Amino acid sequence: MKVLDTISFQKDLLSWYDYEKRDLPWRKENDPYRIWVSEIMLQQTKVAAVIPYFYNFMEKFPTLLDLAEAEEDEVLKAWEGLGYYSRARNLHAAVKEVRDQYGGIVPDTEKEIKSLKGVGPYTAGAILSIAYNVPAPAVDGNVMRVLSRIFTIYDDIGKDTTRKKFEQIVRDTIAEERASDFNQAMMELGALICTPTSPACLLCPVASHCAAREEGVQEMLPVKAKKKAARSVFLKAIVLKNTQGEYLVERRPDTGLLAKFWQFPFLETEKDGEFAAFLQQWGIDLEQVEYKEHIRQAFTHLVWEIDVYTVEVNHLTPAENQQVLTPSLLKELVFPVSHQKIVEKIEEEY
DNA sequence: TACCCGTGGAC
DNA sequence: TGTCCAAGGGT
């Protein structure tokens, strides 16, 4: 592996960062709680998507204690639409643990912080370095992309051992006195300059240190194994409305995909015959329902293909996991994005 | 290790 | 339209 002039690299990187760093809401104060929340929100999520959620979240839960004392449904509602909802549940649980076990102070040791729910190798390093300036590696996708190019490392970045290799490189390279800025600068460089496609090498402050640039292979890196294609699941959903203008919704199971979210009843099928049998539980015939639209919701590992139907009935009796609600009460509940699209059309079209 | 877990934007 | 993927973690 090539030898890096560490001091020169640090200087070039940090000088650029001092001048070019973005003005982001979680960079305004050095509150470990705010930094923690931002890091969880930023997991697999773009900065632009996080910003409005971060402002709203901080307004609702300004301090760690505010969040610790909130109801889970309230926390999930603030997370609705951001995705990966276990992040919200884990953060909520972890914040309670910090309140109870650490006197409300976010711990500053690697062992303690990694023991918190939802805090893995990256997030532990990010909080330690950004909040406490501890020289710990915070290796995310950006950092692996930047370093794979600097050193022309062709290891598959999807593998755990590869991340550990990059963590060791960061330990050897990090600016000890400016650990916070160094880690953030590496990520900032990955986000703004050393992008996945068409990296802006002509604008790169560390281009002179970059082996991939020298060899012209920057577009080949990093190496990442292809993921399996997502499988499609075909669903038929029914929006049931009674003569009072109320709607039937049901709660998803406590675990798994979109746990505890609300949805309109649906059946996993493409066949009208099976759908007809499904509708019989409300005494409805297939001829009574009206097809409204098709909604596609793509997850990382599967795709929902939803045909949406509506029907109006005289009376609706909710089962144990169901509710019959007015539109305004419906909007208080947490729905998957695909079903939010239905909720938005309720009253006018549905 | 491989799979599960969301969403919206870029290309 | 399809594909990829973004400051990952849990199991």
Side-chain angles (χ1 to χ4, degrees):
Chain A
M1 196 165 73
K2 69 162 278 185
V3 176
L4 185 69
D5 181 343
T6 302
I7 301 299
S8 173
F9 177 81
Q10 291 173 356
K11 182 173 173 296
D12 292 340
L13 177 70
L14 289 170
S15 299
W16 170 83
Y17 180 70
D18 288 339
Y19 192 72
E20 293 288 348
K21 69 177 172 186
R22 290 169 291 180
D23 184 19
L24 300 175
W26 44 90
R27 285 181 176 160
K28 287 175 184 163
E29 302 162 42
N30 233 27
D31 178 357
Y33 164 68
R34 291 169 62 91
I35 289 162
W36 183 6
V37 171
S38 75
E39 287 303 335
I40 302 298
M41 286 188 168
L42 286 161
Q43 289 171 5
Q44 300 289 286
T45 310
K46 291 204 166 79
V47 165
V50 166
I51 287 174
Y53 282 88
F54 183 80
Y55 278 123
N56 179 54
F57 204 86
M58 283 306 143
E59 195 172 317
K60 283 197 169 121
F61 317 111
T63 70
L64 187 145
L65 288 182
D66 292 322
L67 181 58
E69 284 160 18
E71 293 296 324
E72 184 178 276
D73 282 346
E74 199 184 348
V75 178
L76 278 175
K77 190 66 187 171
W79 210 273
E80 184 184 40
L82 198 53
Y84 285 141
Y85 301 96
S86 66
R87 293 185 297 176
R89 293 198 182 85
N90 287 336
L91 173 63
H92 192 212
V95 155
K96 288 181 183 178
E97 185 174 347
V98 168
R99 176 193 62 190
D100 297 338
Q101 304 298 325
Y102 301 99
I105 308 297
V106 180
D108 63 352
T109 69
E110 186 170 332
K111 186 180 175 186
E112 288 172 326
I113 206 155
K114 265 190 184 164
S115 75
L116 298 171
K117 279 188 178 177
V119 179
Y122 161 74
T123 306
I127 296 172
L128 286 173
S129 61
I130 298 172
Y132 296 115
N133 206 33
V134 172
V139 174
D140 71 337
N142 285 309
V143 175
M144 289 196 280
R145 184 170 60 256
V146 169
L147 291 177
S148 72
R149 288 171 176 169
I150 297 283
F151 292 97
T152 54
I153 291 169
Y154 289 86
D155 300 36
D156 177 5
I157 63 166
K159 292 192 182 301
D160 204 47
T161 52
T162 306
R163 196 204 69 245
K164 289 178 179 168
K165 183 171 180 174
F166 285 121
E167 284 176 346
Q168 187 54 50
I169 292 174
V170 171
R171 285 194 195 89
D172 296 338
T173 312
I174 194 168
E176 300 273 339
E177 307 300 318
R178 295 190 63 185
S180 169
D181 289 339
F182 182 89
N183 280 341
Q184 291 188 80
M186 290 290 282
M187 293 187 276
E188 198 83 340
L189 189 70
L192 300 181
I193 304 287
C194 195
T195 48
T197 57
S198 311
C201 298
L202 293 177
L203 300 175
C204 181
V206 294
S208 67
H209 302 278
C210 185
R213 169 66 174 159
E214 192 172 340
E215 297 173 26
V217 295
Q218 62 271 21
E219 300 261 18
M220 311 285 293
L221 291 166
V223 173
K224 193 172 185 178
K226 284 195 180 101
K227 290 174 283 194
K228 250 178 24 176
R231 73 177 194 281
S232 291
V233 176
F234 295 89
L235 309 170
K236 288 180 181 296
I238 181 71
V239 179
L240 292 143
K241 179 187 187 180
N242 68 16
T243 46
Q244 285 76 51
E246 298 167 321
Y247 296 81
L248 179 73
V249 289
E250 63 184 22
R251 201 167 170 88
R252 293 179 62 80
D254 290 346
T255 57
L257 181 67
L258 298 163
K260 297 183 186 177
F261 276 50
W262 292 86
Q263 64 189 12
F264 297 93
F266 63 66
L267 181 68
E268 183 182 334
T269 184
E270 287 184 272
K271 299 186 177 122
D272 283 347
E274 292 179 6
F275 190 47
F278 178 70
L279 294 171
Q280 275 305 312
Q281 64 183 294
W282 295 285
I284 300 164
D285 292 325
L286 195 58
E287 292 71 34
Q288 294 174 253
V289 304
E290 183 183 356
Y291 170 77
K292 299 297 282 191
E293 65 173 327
H294 185 81
I295 294 176
R296 170 177 297 175
Q297 182 173 6
F299 301 90
T300 307
H301 54 295
L302 62 88
V303 182
W304 277 356
E305 300 281 2
I306 313 173
D307 285 330
V308 183
Y309 298 81
T310 60
V311 68
E312 189 166 335
V313 297
N314 289 328
H315 187 68
L316 287 169
T317 307
E320 196 173 336
N321 63 330
Q322 297 174 337
Q323 294 193 67
V324 176
L325 295 175
T326 61
S328 62
L329 286 174
L330 215 58
K331 286 165 185 155
E332 305 284 319
L333 303 179
V334 186
F335 288 90
V337 163
S338 54
H339 289 249
Q340 284 172 37
K341 290 169 185 167
I342 299 172
V343 172
E344 284 166 13
K345 291 176 184 165
I346 260 170
E347 286 186 291
E348 307 103 57
E349 296 177 49
Y350 285 9

